[in-house]
Amino acid sequence: MNDFNERNASNAGDEIDATRTFSEDLISTDSNALGSDDQNAVDSLPAGNALLIVRRGPNKGARFLLDADSISVGRHPNADIFLDDVTVSRRHSEITRLNGVFTIKDLVSLNGTYFQGERVETARFFDGAELQVGKYHFTFYASKKDS
């Protein structure tokens, strides 16, 4: 075996351990912790309303107020939540509110709607729920005044 292979063979375990440590550091950080502005927005939500905050993807940090009984989500310019990316269908999904309960319904989108990491046709939101539409990853926050 030449010198290069011997050096790399003896250090191979170190590289794996370093990679494992690095990935555990990433996992342990709380990427969903709210900044003070976002926390103030959530705290000031009127009863019966909710907020979607883009946590990853295009427009990271954008907030969408859920204050109507029916909210369209998609790439169509007339969508209530307009997501300008080719990974989003023109009429991708719909959020509905009934008696203070929010649900998401996929509208047979090409790339699907993901809730808590699972592709869904429909799902009921809860505080802190994760929603993915195309490249957009959202976190759902309900009004604290409803509790």
Side-chain angles (χ1 to χ4, degrees):
M1 193 151 62
N2 66 34
D3 289 337
F4 178 78
N5 288 338
E6 288 175 7
R7 281 194 310 265
N8 285 339
S10 65
N11 293 333
D14 293 339
E15 291 175 10
I16 292 171
D17 288 339
T19 302
R20 183 177 301 120
T21 302
F22 178 72
S23 65
E24 287 171 359
D25 290 342
L26 287 175
I27 292 169
S28 66
T29 60
D30 187 7
S31 62
N32 288 336
L34 290 176
S36 60
D37 287 345
D38 287 337
Q39 188 62 57
N40 289 338
V42 170
D43 292 342
S44 65
L45 281 170
N49 293 333
L51 195 64
L52 279 178
I53 300 177
V54 180
R55 307 307 288 170
R56 281 192 335 213
N59 299 337
K60 180 179 176 182
R63 298 183 214 147
F64 297 95
L65 179 62
L66 307 179
D67 62 348
D69 292 334
S70 179
I71 299 164
S72 60
V73 179
R75 194 169 33 91
H76 192 281
N78 293 336
D80 298 314
I81 298 178
F82 172 61
L83 303 176
D84 190 16
D85 190 87
V86 296
T87 61
V88 178
S89 296
R90 291 174 60 76
R91 288 173 176 65
H92 198 100
S93 56
E94 179 182 34
I95 298 170
T96 56
R97 175 180 64 183
L98 181 63
N99 299 323
V101 175
F102 288 88
T103 57
I104 183 86
K105 178 182 180 184
D106 185 75
L107 300 177
V108 195
S109 64
L110 181 62
N111 291 323
T113 299
Y114 290 80
F115 187 82
Q116 296 298 107
E118 300 285 327
R119 190 170 181 159
V120 296
E121 290 181 25
T122 186
R124 181 177 174 174
F125 280 107
F126 55 86
D127 201 43
E130 300 292 328
L131 172 68
Q132 181 181 347
V133 175
K135 292 181 182 177
Y136 296 82
H137 294 255
F138 301 90
T139 303
F140 175 86
Y141 297 96
S143 172
K144 305 296 183 217
K145 297 172 181 148
D146 293 330
S147 324

